Amino acid sequence: MTDRYAVLGNPIGHSKSPLIHGLFAQATGQDIAYTAIEVPLDGFSETVLAFRAGGGRGLNVTLPFKLQAFEIATDPSERARLAGAANCLKFDGERILADNFDGVGLVNDLQRNLGCPLAGKRVLLLGAGGATRGALLPIAAEGPALIAVANRTASKAHALQRDFAAHAQLQSGGYDDLGGQRFDVVINATSAGLTQETLPLEASVFAPGAVAYDMVYGKGLTPFLQQARAAGVSRVADGVGMLIEQAAEAFAWWRGVRPETRAVIQQLTVPLA
Ligand code: ATR
């Protein structure tokens, strides 16, 4: 029997998840159907429960429902708990298991696909919202020399440092507090690029040979990646690999089979410029 999965979001029309999971299913011989469902802003829990009642096995969850996905879970993972957000649900009888694969997807993309090991590196995360929260634990687990979080609203970065104190040593502040520091990996986890806004970053923030990574995908060279290029950074990447790697984690969690990501990344990658 075909097992049913879906991605929930609003809007959802742009989602590449059905294509990605369809390719994974084909490659691994798994019999699944995966659709995209646009959920009314006030209808998240009803949609989840109706999908489960109809025999659905699991869900991906994207904006703006990742916090509600965490809240509806009966069994959230440690990293979902720390992020306060989930992007993946699995149904097991009455239990709703939740996890957050965004951070591990990012780390796998950086390390495996882009050849950028994080151990011993100086890592800068821009933004202090859900995207940064989801990324912190998996990054810390790789043993970087430093993780700094810079945010437009410095108090939010400080709050995040406090929340993660038991799990990761962070430096936190506003963009001005970065001073003359240089970083080997600079990750844009803000939503600024979606509105074509530029971040107040000094060119000196990029160490020689740095990698600049924008979690956004499918937007070409975002203002952040343009800033990095203008600062002389040659290794720039958008978040398409992160999207596909988090999908692979979800697929493995649901199906017990780990799909290969390389061919899917090749198929979905659009040259940045
Ligand atoms: P997400 O879940 O995608 O992380 P979020 O929790 O709303 O979304 O967080 C958005 C992040 O982008 C925040 O860090 C926000 O900064 P503030 O905390 O100061 O609001 C950041 N952000 C959004 N627009 C920005 C802009 N134009 N310049 C700088 N930072 C911006």
Side-chain angles (χ1 to χ4, degrees), residues 196-221:
Q196 292 298 313
E197 285 172 273
T198 305
L199 299 168
L201 274 184
E202 301 285 342
S204 59
V205 85
F206 300 99
V211 170
Y213 194 102
D214 202 321
M215 288 193 188
V216 163
Y217 67 90
K219 301 270 176 203
L221 267 187

mmCIF file with all atom_site columns, all heavy atoms in Angstrom, residues 196-221:
data_model
loop_
_atom_site.group_PDB
_atom_site.id
_atom_site.type_symbol
_atom_site.label_atom_id
_atom_site.label_alt_id
_atom_site.label_comp_id
_atom_site.label_asym_id
_atom_site.label_entity_id
_atom_site.label_seq_id
_atom_site.pdbx_PDB_ins_code
_atom_site.Cartn_x
_atom_site.Cartn_y
_atom_site.Cartn_z
_atom_site.occupancy
_atom_site.B_iso_or_equiv
_atom_site.pdbx_formal_charge
_atom_site.auth_seq_id
_atom_site.auth_comp_id
_atom_site.auth_asym_id
_atom_site.auth_atom_id
_atom_site.pdbx_PDB_model_num
ATOM 1   N N   . GLN A 1 196 ? 15.244 41.606 -0.428 1.00 0.00 ? 196 GLN A N   1
ATOM 2   C CA  . GLN A 1 196 ? 16.375 42.264 -1.106 1.00 0.00 ? 196 GLN A CA  1
ATOM 3   C C   . GLN A 1 196 ? 17.086 43.284 -0.223 1.00 0.00 ? 196 GLN A C   1
ATOM 4   O O   . GLN A 1 196 ? 17.691 44.221 -0.718 1.00 0.00 ? 196 GLN A O   1
ATOM 5   C CB  . GLN A 1 196 ? 15.915 42.933 -2.418 1.00 0.00 ? 196 GLN A CB  1
ATOM 6   C CG  . GLN A 1 196 ? 15.482 41.941 -3.492 1.00 0.00 ? 196 GLN A CG  1
ATOM 7   C CD  . GLN A 1 196 ? 16.622 41.002 -3.931 1.00 0.00 ? 196 GLN A CD  1
ATOM 8   O OE1 . GLN A 1 196 ? 17.727 41.439 -4.188 1.00 0.00 ? 196 GLN A OE1 1
ATOM 9   N NE2 . GLN A 1 196 ? 16.350 39.708 -3.958 1.00 0.00 ? 196 GLN A NE2 1
ATOM 10  N N   . GLU A 1 197 ? 17.017 43.079 1.118  1.00 0.00 ? 197 GLU A N   1
ATOM 11  C CA  . GLU A 1 197 ? 17.699 44.031 2.002  1.00 0.00 ? 197 GLU A CA  1
ATOM 12  C C   . GLU A 1 197 ? 19.133 43.578 2.258  1.00 0.00 ? 197 GLU A C   1
ATOM 13  O O   . GLU A 1 197 ? 19.423 42.385 2.319  1.00 0.00 ? 197 GLU A O   1
ATOM 14  C CB  . GLU A 1 197 ? 16.943 44.163 3.323  1.00 0.00 ? 197 GLU A CB  1
ATOM 15  C CG  . GLU A 1 197 ? 15.680 44.989 3.162  1.00 0.00 ? 197 GLU A CG  1
ATOM 16  C CD  . GLU A 1 197 ? 14.825 44.970 4.415  1.00 0.00 ? 197 GLU A CD  1
ATOM 17  O OE1 . GLU A 1 197 ? 14.011 44.040 4.537  1.00 0.00 ? 197 GLU A OE1 1
ATOM 18  O OE2 . GLU A 1 197 ? 14.994 45.854 5.257  1.00 0.00 ? 197 GLU A OE2 1
ATOM 19  N N   . THR A 1 198 ? 20.005 44.558 2.449  1.00 0.00 ? 198 THR A N   1
ATOM 20  C CA  . THR A 1 198 ? 21.423 44.289 2.662  1.00 0.00 ? 198 THR A CA  1
ATOM 21  C C   . THR A 1 198 ? 21.733 44.336 4.153  1.00 0.00 ? 198 THR A C   1
ATOM 22  O O   . THR A 1 198 ? 21.148 45.121 4.888  1.00 0.00 ? 198 THR A O   1
ATOM 23  C CB  . THR A 1 198 ? 22.250 45.377 1.931  1.00 0.00 ? 198 THR A CB  1
ATOM 24  O OG1 . THR A 1 198 ? 21.837 45.388 0.580  1.00 0.00 ? 198 THR A OG1 1
ATOM 25  C CG2 . THR A 1 198 ? 23.731 45.090 1.994  1.00 0.00 ? 198 THR A CG2 1
ATOM 26  N N   . LEU A 1 199 ? 22.643 43.484 4.595  1.00 0.00 ? 199 LEU A N   1
ATOM 27  C CA  . LEU A 1 199 ? 23.021 43.461 6.009  1.00 0.00 ? 199 LEU A CA  1
ATOM 28  C C   . LEU A 1 199 ? 24.216 44.396 6.242  1.00 0.00 ? 199 LEU A C   1
ATOM 29  O O   . LEU A 1 199 ? 25.079 44.518 5.369  1.00 0.00 ? 199 LEU A O   1
ATOM 30  C CB  . LEU A 1 199 ? 23.395 42.034 6.424  1.00 0.00 ? 199 LEU A CB  1
ATOM 31  C CG  . LEU A 1 199 ? 22.262 41.017 6.273  1.00 0.00 ? 199 LEU A CG  1
ATOM 32  C CD1 . LEU A 1 199 ? 22.792 39.592 6.414  1.00 0.00 ? 199 LEU A CD1 1
ATOM 33  C CD2 . LEU A 1 199 ? 21.179 41.287 7.311  1.00 0.00 ? 199 LEU A CD2 1
ATOM 34  N N   . PRO A 1 200 ? 24.273 45.024 7.408  1.00 0.00 ? 200 PRO A N   1
ATOM 35  C CA  . PRO A 1 200 ? 25.381 45.953 7.685  1.00 0.00 ? 200 PRO A CA  1
ATOM 36  C C   . PRO A 1 200 ? 26.671 45.206 8.044  1.00 0.00 ? 200 PRO A C   1
ATOM 37  O O   . PRO A 1 200 ? 27.109 45.196 9.194  1.00 0.00 ? 200 PRO A O   1
ATOM 38  C CB  . PRO A 1 200 ? 24.857 46.779 8.871  1.00 0.00 ? 200 PRO A CB  1
ATOM 39  C CG  . PRO A 1 200 ? 23.901 45.885 9.566  1.00 0.00 ? 200 PRO A CG  1
ATOM 40  C CD  . PRO A 1 200 ? 23.298 44.987 8.516  1.00 0.00 ? 200 PRO A CD  1
ATOM 41  N N   . LEU A 1 201 ? 27.262 44.563 7.053  1.00 0.00 ? 201 LEU A N   1
ATOM 42  C CA  . LEU A 1 201 ? 28.448 43.722 7.275  1.00 0.00 ? 201 LEU A CA  1
ATOM 43  C C   . LEU A 1 201 ? 29.685 44.379 6.693  1.00 0.00 ? 201 LEU A C   1
ATOM 44  O O   . LEU A 1 201 ? 29.663 44.828 5.536  1.00 0.00 ? 201 LEU A O   1
ATOM 45  C CB  . LEU A 1 201 ? 28.282 42.397 6.537  1.00 0.00 ? 201 LEU A CB  1
ATOM 46  C CG  . LEU A 1 201 ? 27.555 41.247 7.183  1.00 0.00 ? 201 LEU A CG  1
ATOM 47  C CD1 . LEU A 1 201 ? 27.640 40.042 6.255  1.00 0.00 ? 201 LEU A CD1 1
ATOM 48  C CD2 . LEU A 1 201 ? 28.151 40.913 8.548  1.00 0.00 ? 201 LEU A CD2 1
ATOM 49  N N   . GLU A 1 202 ? 30.771 44.394 7.449  1.00 0.00 ? 202 GLU A N   1
ATOM 50  C CA  . GLU A 1 202 ? 32.052 44.868 6.906  1.00 0.00 ? 202 GLU A CA  1
ATOM 51  C C   . GLU A 1 202 ? 32.643 43.775 6.016  1.00 0.00 ? 202 GLU A C   1
ATOM 52  O O   . GLU A 1 202 ? 32.522 42.580 6.336  1.00 0.00 ? 202 GLU A O   1
ATOM 53  C CB  . GLU A 1 202 ? 33.043 45.119 8.051  1.00 0.00 ? 202 GLU A CB  1
ATOM 54  C CG  . GLU A 1 202 ? 32.580 46.128 9.080  1.00 0.00 ? 202 GLU A CG  1
ATOM 55  C CD  . GLU A 1 202 ? 32.665 47.549 8.559  1.00 0.00 ? 202 GLU A CD  1
ATOM 56  O OE1 . GLU A 1 202 ? 33.380 47.763 7.560  1.00 0.00 ? 202 GLU A OE1 1
ATOM 57  O OE2 . GLU A 1 202 ? 31.991 48.414 9.138  1.00 0.00 ? 202 GLU A OE2 1
ATOM 58  N N   . ALA A 1 203 ? 33.325 44.179 4.963  1.00 0.00 ? 203 ALA A N   1
ATOM 59  C CA  . ALA A 1 203 ? 33.974 43.195 4.083  1.00 0.00 ? 203 ALA A CA  1
ATOM 60  C C   . ALA A 1 203 ? 35.006 42.375 4.857  1.00 0.00 ? 203 ALA A C   1
ATOM 61  O O   . ALA A 1 203 ? 35.249 41.202 4.551  1.00 0.00 ? 203 ALA A O   1
ATOM 62  C CB  . ALA A 1 203 ? 34.647 43.912 2.910  1.00 0.00 ? 203 ALA A CB  1
ATOM 63  N N   . SER A 1 204 ? 35.573 42.978 5.911  1.00 0.00 ? 204 SER A N   1
ATOM 64  C CA  . SER A 1 204 ? 36.651 42.318 6.665  1.00 0.00 ? 204 SER A CA  1
ATOM 65  C C   . SER A 1 204 ? 36.154 41.131 7.488  1.00 0.00 ? 204 SER A C   1
ATOM 66  O O   . SER A 1 204 ? 36.947 40.390 8.066  1.00 0.00 ? 204 SER A O   1
ATOM 67  C CB  . SER A 1 204 ? 37.319 43.332 7.598  1.00 0.00 ? 204 SER A CB  1
ATOM 68  O OG  . SER A 1 204 ? 36.356 43.851 8.484  1.00 0.00 ? 204 SER A OG  1
ATOM 69  N N   . VAL A 1 205 ? 34.835 40.930 7.549  1.00 0.00 ? 205 VAL A N   1
ATOM 70  C CA  . VAL A 1 205 ? 34.294 39.822 8.332  1.00 0.00 ? 205 VAL A CA  1
ATOM 71  C C   . VAL A 1 205 ? 34.643 38.466 7.685  1.00 0.00 ? 205 VAL A C   1
ATOM 72  O O   . VAL A 1 205 ? 34.692 37.437 8.357  1.00 0.00 ? 205 VAL A O   1
ATOM 73  C CB  . VAL A 1 205 ? 32.759 40.018 8.503  1.00 0.00 ? 205 VAL A CB  1
ATOM 74  C CG1 . VAL A 1 205 ? 31.992 39.475 7.313  1.00 0.00 ? 205 VAL A CG1 1
ATOM 75  C CG2 . VAL A 1 205 ? 32.261 39.443 9.794  1.00 0.00 ? 205 VAL A CG2 1
ATOM 76  N N   . PHE A 1 206 ? 34.899 38.476 6.379  1.00 0.00 ? 206 PHE A N   1
ATOM 77  C CA  . PHE A 1 206 ? 35.225 37.241 5.658  1.00 0.00 ? 206 PHE A CA  1
ATOM 78  C C   . PHE A 1 206 ? 36.735 37.009 5.707  1.00 0.00 ? 206 PHE A C   1
ATOM 79  O O   . PHE A 1 206 ? 37.499 37.817 5.167  1.00 0.00 ? 206 PHE A O   1
ATOM 80  C CB  . PHE A 1 206 ? 34.766 37.332 4.200  1.00 0.00 ? 206 PHE A CB  1
ATOM 81  C CG  . PHE A 1 206 ? 33.284 37.555 4.044  1.00 0.00 ? 206 PHE A CG  1
ATOM 82  C CD1 . PHE A 1 206 ? 32.771 38.829 3.805  1.00 0.00 ? 206 PHE A CD1 1
ATOM 83  C CD2 . PHE A 1 206 ? 32.400 36.493 4.149  1.00 0.00 ? 206 PHE A CD2 1
ATOM 84  C CE1 . PHE A 1 206 ? 31.406 39.041 3.662  1.00 0.00 ? 206 PHE A CE1 1
ATOM 85  C CE2 . PHE A 1 206 ? 31.031 36.688 4.002  1.00 0.00 ? 206 PHE A CE2 1
ATOM 86  C CZ  . PHE A 1 206 ? 30.532 37.963 3.760  1.00 0.00 ? 206 PHE A CZ  1
ATOM 87  N N   . ALA A 1 207 ? 37.153 35.921 6.336  1.00 0.00 ? 207 ALA A N   1
ATOM 88  C CA  . ALA A 1 207 ? 38.579 35.569 6.361  1.00 0.00 ? 207 ALA A CA  1
ATOM 89  C C   . ALA A 1 207 ? 39.004 35.136 4.956  1.00 0.00 ? 207 ALA A C   1
ATOM 90  O O   . ALA A 1 207 ? 38.153 34.715 4.158  1.00 0.00 ? 207 ALA A O   1
ATOM 91  C CB  . ALA A 1 207 ? 38.818 34.438 7.360  1.00 0.00 ? 207 ALA A CB  1
ATOM 92  N N   . PRO A 1 208 ? 40.279 35.174 4.642  1.00 0.00 ? 208 PRO A N   1
ATOM 93  C CA  . PRO A 1 208 ? 40.720 34.662 3.342  1.00 0.00 ? 208 PRO A CA  1
ATOM 94  C C   . PRO A 1 208 ? 40.273 33.209 3.183  1.00 0.00 ? 208 PRO A C   1
ATOM 95  O O   . PRO A 1 208 ? 40.401 32.410 4.113  1.00 0.00 ? 208 PRO A O   1
ATOM 96  C CB  . PRO A 1 208 ? 42.248 34.759 3.437  1.00 0.00 ? 208 PRO A CB  1
ATOM 97  C CG  . PRO A 1 208 ? 42.503 35.821 4.461  1.00 0.00 ? 208 PRO A CG  1
ATOM 98  C CD  . PRO A 1 208 ? 41.377 35.737 5.447  1.00 0.00 ? 208 PRO A CD  1
ATOM 99  N N   . GLY A 1 209 ? 39.705 32.874 2.027  1.00 0.00 ? 209 GLY A N   1
ATOM 100 C CA  . GLY A 1 209 ? 39.244 31.500 1.780  1.00 0.00 ? 209 GLY A CA  1
ATOM 101 C C   . GLY A 1 209 ? 37.905 31.178 2.416  1.00 0.00 ? 209 GLY A C   1
ATOM 102 O O   . GLY A 1 209 ? 37.487 30.012 2.439  1.00 0.00 ? 209 GLY A O   1
ATOM 103 N N   . ALA A 1 210 ? 37.210 32.199 2.927  1.00 0.00 ? 210 ALA A N   1
ATOM 104 C CA  . ALA A 1 210 ? 35.947 31.961 3.634  1.00 0.00 ? 210 ALA A CA  1
ATOM 105 C C   . ALA A 1 210 ? 34.870 31.392 2.701  1.00 0.00 ? 210 ALA A C   1
ATOM 106 O O   . ALA A 1 210 ? 34.918 31.573 1.483  1.00 0.00 ? 210 ALA A O   1
ATOM 107 C CB  . ALA A 1 210 ? 35.439 33.267 4.243  1.00 0.00 ? 210 ALA A CB  1
ATOM 108 N N   . VAL A 1 211 ? 33.903 30.732 3.332  1.00 0.00 ? 211 VAL A N   1
ATOM 109 C CA  . VAL A 1 211 ? 32.695 30.287 2.643  1.00 0.00 ? 211 VAL A CA  1
ATOM 110 C C   . VAL A 1 211 ? 31.543 31.180 3.091  1.00 0.00 ? 211 VAL A C   1
ATOM 111 O O   . VAL A 1 211 ? 31.386 31.422 4.293  1.00 0.00 ? 211 VAL A O   1
ATOM 112 C CB  . VAL A 1 211 ? 32.373 28.819 3.001  1.00 0.00 ? 211 VAL A CB  1
ATOM 113 C CG1 . VAL A 1 211 ? 30.999 28.418 2.490  1.00 0.00 ? 211 VAL A CG1 1
ATOM 114 C CG2 . VAL A 1 211 ? 33.437 27.889 2.431  1.00 0.00 ? 211 VAL A CG2 1
ATOM 115 N N   . ALA A 1 212 ? 30.780 31.672 2.139  1.00 0.00 ? 212 ALA A N   1
ATOM 116 C CA  . ALA A 1 212 ? 29.569 32.441 2.467  1.00 0.00 ? 212 ALA A CA  1
ATOM 117 C C   . ALA A 1 212 ? 28.367 31.609 2.049  1.00 0.00 ? 212 ALA A C   1
ATOM 118 O O   . ALA A 1 212 ? 28.283 31.154 0.903  1.00 0.00 ? 212 ALA A O   1
ATOM 119 C CB  . ALA A 1 212 ? 29.570 33.778 1.725  1.00 0.00 ? 212 ALA A CB  1
ATOM 120 N N   . TYR A 1 213 ? 27.433 31.393 2.982  1.00 0.00 ? 213 TYR A N   1
ATOM 121 C CA  . TYR A 1 213 ? 26.310 30.482 2.748  1.00 0.00 ? 213 TYR A CA  1
ATOM 122 C C   . TYR A 1 213 ? 25.011 31.214 3.057  1.00 0.00 ? 213 TYR A C   1
ATOM 123 O O   . TYR A 1 213 ? 24.835 31.745 4.152  1.00 0.00 ? 213 TYR A O   1
ATOM 124 C CB  . TYR A 1 213 ? 26.458 29.267 3.672  1.00 0.00 ? 213 TYR A CB  1
ATOM 125 C CG  . TYR A 1 213 ? 25.555 28.112 3.302  1.00 0.00 ? 213 TYR A CG  1
ATOM 126 C CD1 . TYR A 1 213 ? 26.060 27.013 2.621  1.00 0.00 ? 213 TYR A CD1 1
ATOM 127 C CD2 . TYR A 1 213 ? 24.201 28.125 3.631  1.00 0.00 ? 213 TYR A CD2 1
ATOM 128 C CE1 . TYR A 1 213 ? 25.242 25.949 2.264  1.00 0.00 ? 213 TYR A CE1 1
ATOM 129 C CE2 . TYR A 1 213 ? 23.374 27.070 3.278  1.00 0.00 ? 213 TYR A CE2 1
ATOM 130 C CZ  . TYR A 1 213 ? 23.898 25.987 2.604  1.00 0.00 ? 213 TYR A CZ  1
ATOM 131 O OH  . TYR A 1 213 ? 23.088 24.933 2.246  1.00 0.00 ? 213 TYR A OH  1
ATOM 132 N N   . ASP A 1 214 ? 24.105 31.234 2.113  1.00 0.00 ? 214 ASP A N   1
ATOM 133 C CA  . ASP A 1 214 ? 22.795 31.828 2.366  1.00 0.00 ? 214 ASP A CA  1
ATOM 134 C C   . ASP A 1 214 ? 21.770 30.702 2.451  1.00 0.00 ? 214 ASP A C   1
ATOM 135 O O   . ASP A 1 214 ? 21.659 29.891 1.531  1.00 0.00 ? 214 ASP A O   1
ATOM 136 C CB  . ASP A 1 214 ? 22.422 32.798 1.233  1.00 0.00 ? 214 ASP A CB  1
ATOM 137 C CG  . ASP A 1 214 ? 21.379 33.812 1.690  1.00 0.00 ? 214 ASP A CG  1
ATOM 138 O OD1 . ASP A 1 214 ? 20.460 33.418 2.443  1.00 0.00 ? 214 ASP A OD1 1
ATOM 139 O OD2 . ASP A 1 214 ? 21.499 34.983 1.310  1.00 0.00 ? 214 ASP A OD2 1
ATOM 140 N N   . MET A 1 215 ? 21.034 30.646 3.545  1.00 0.00 ? 215 MET A N   1
ATOM 141 C CA  . MET A 1 215 ? 20.061 29.548 3.708  1.00 0.00 ? 215 MET A CA  1
ATOM 142 C C   . MET A 1 215 ? 18.905 29.638 2.707  1.00 0.00 ? 215 MET A C   1
ATOM 143 O O   . MET A 1 215 ? 18.223 28.653 2.447  1.00 0.00 ? 215 MET A O   1
ATOM 144 C CB  . MET A 1 215 ? 19.492 29.554 5.120  1.00 0.00 ? 215 MET A CB  1
ATOM 145 C CG  . MET A 1 215 ? 20.459 29.090 6.180  1.00 0.00 ? 215 MET A CG  1
ATOM 146 S SD  . MET A 1 215 ? 19.531 28.796 7.691  1.00 0.00 ? 215 MET A SD  1
ATOM 147 C CE  . MET A 1 215 ? 20.855 28.497 8.852  1.00 0.00 ? 215 MET A CE  1
ATOM 148 N N   . VAL A 1 216 ? 18.695 30.829 2.172  1.00 0.00 ? 216 VAL A N   1
ATOM 149 C CA  . VAL A 1 216 ? 17.659 31.009 1.160  1.00 0.00 ? 216 VAL A CA  1
ATOM 150 C C   . VAL A 1 216 ? 18.070 30.249 -0.100 1.00 0.00 ? 216 VAL A C   1
ATOM 151 O O   . VAL A 1 216 ? 19.254 30.094 -0.363 1.00 0.00 ? 216 VAL A O   1
ATOM 152 C CB  . VAL A 1 216 ? 17.532 32.520 0.863  1.00 0.00 ? 216 VAL A CB  1
ATOM 153 C CG1 . VAL A 1 216 ? 16.793 32.776 -0.429 1.00 0.00 ? 216 VAL A CG1 1
ATOM 154 C CG2 . VAL A 1 216 ? 16.857 33.224 2.017  1.00 0.00 ? 216 VAL A CG2 1
ATOM 155 N N   . TYR A 1 217 ? 17.090 29.735 -0.872 1.00 0.00 ? 217 TYR A N   1
ATOM 156 C CA  . TYR A 1 217 ? 17.459 29.069 -2.121 1.00 0.00 ? 217 TYR A CA  1
ATOM 157 C C   . TYR A 1 217 ? 16.570 29.552 -3.258 1.00 0.00 ? 217 TYR A C   1
ATOM 158 O O   . TYR A 1 217 ? 15.478 30.085 -3.035 1.00 0.00 ? 217 TYR A O   1
ATOM 159 C CB  . TYR A 1 217 ? 17.377 27.551 -1.984 1.00 0.00 ? 217 TYR A CB  1
ATOM 160 C CG  . TYR A 1 217 ? 15.972 27.023 -1.784 1.00 0.00 ? 217 TYR A CG  1
ATOM 161 C CD1 . TYR A 1 217 ? 15.179 26.685 -2.871 1.00 0.00 ? 217 TYR A CD1 1
ATOM 162 C CD2 . TYR A 1 217 ? 15.454 26.890 -0.515 1.00 0.00 ? 217 TYR A CD2 1
ATOM 163 C CE1 . TYR A 1 217 ? 13.886 26.221 -2.694 1.00 0.00 ? 217 TYR A CE1 1
ATOM 164 C CE2 . TYR A 1 217 ? 14.164 26.430 -0.329 1.00 0.00 ? 217 TYR A CE2 1
ATOM 165 C CZ  . TYR A 1 217 ? 13.392 26.098 -1.417 1.00 0.00 ? 217 TYR A CZ  1
ATOM 166 O OH  . TYR A 1 217 ? 12.112 25.658 -1.247 1.00 0.00 ? 217 TYR A OH  1
ATOM 167 N N   . GLY A 1 218 ? 17.099 29.380 -4.448 1.00 0.00 ? 218 GLY A N   1
ATOM 168 C CA  . GLY A 1 218 ? 16.320 29.710 -5.633 1.00 0.00 ? 218 GLY A CA  1
ATOM 169 C C   . GLY A 1 218 ? 16.165 31.196 -5.893 1.00 0.00 ? 218 GLY A C   1
ATOM 170 O O   . GLY A 1 218 ? 15.326 31.610 -6.691 1.00 0.00 ? 218 GLY A O   1
ATOM 171 N N   . LYS A 1 219 ? 16.973 32.005 -5.230 1.00 0.00 ? 219 LYS A N   1
ATOM 172 C CA  . LYS A 1 219 ? 16.878 33.464 -5.423 1.00 0.00 ? 219 LYS A CA  1
ATOM 173 C C   . LYS A 1 219 ? 18.107 34.012 -6.132 1.00 0.00 ? 219 LYS A C   1
ATOM 174 O O   . LYS A 1 219 ? 18.347 35.217 -6.124 1.00 0.00 ? 219 LYS A O   1
ATOM 175 C CB  . LYS A 1 219 ? 16.738 34.173 -4.059 1.00 0.00 ? 219 LYS A CB  1
ATOM 176 C CG  . LYS A 1 219 ? 15.529 33.755 -3.260 1.00 0.00 ? 219 LYS A CG  1
ATOM 177 C CD  . LYS A 1 219 ? 14.339 34.640 -3.589 1.00 0.00 ? 219 LYS A CD  1
ATOM 178 C CE  . LYS A 1 219 ? 13.108 34.156 -2.849 1.00 0.00 ? 219 LYS A CE  1
ATOM 179 N NZ  . LYS A 1 219 ? 11.869 34.560 -3.459 1.00 0.00 ? 219 LYS A NZ  1
ATOM 180 N N   . GLY A 1 220 ? 18.938 33.122 -6.659 1.00 0.00 ? 220 GLY A N   1
ATOM 181 C CA  . GLY A 1 220 ? 20.156 33.580 -7.322 1.00 0.00 ? 220 GLY A CA  1
ATOM 182 C C   . GLY A 1 220 ? 21.135 34.164 -6.311 1.00 0.00 ? 220 GLY A C   1
ATOM 183 O O   . GLY A 1 220 ? 21.179 33.736 -5.154 1.00 0.00 ? 220 GLY A O   1
ATOM 184 N N   . LEU A 1 221 ? 21.896 35.140 -6.754 1.00 0.00 ? 221 LEU A N   1
ATOM 185 C CA  . LEU A 1 221 ? 22.849 35.794 -5.852 1.00 0.00 ? 221 LEU A CA  1
ATOM 186 C C   . LEU A 1 221 ? 22.081 36.778 -4.980 1.00 0.00 ? 221 LEU A C   1
ATOM 187 O O   . LEU A 1 221 ? 21.704 37.861 -5.419 1.00 0.00 ? 221 LEU A O   1
ATOM 188 C CB  . LEU A 1 221 ? 23.905 36.552 -6.656 1.00 0.00 ? 221 LEU A CB  1
ATOM 189 C CG  . LEU A 1 221 ? 25.200 35.863 -7.019 1.00 0.00 ? 221 LEU A CG  1
ATOM 190 C CD1 . LEU A 1 221 ? 26.142 36.861 -7.652 1.00 0.00 ? 221 LEU A CD1 1
ATOM 191 C CD2 . LEU A 1 221 ? 25.879 35.172 -5.834 1.00 0.00 ? 221 LEU A CD2 1
#
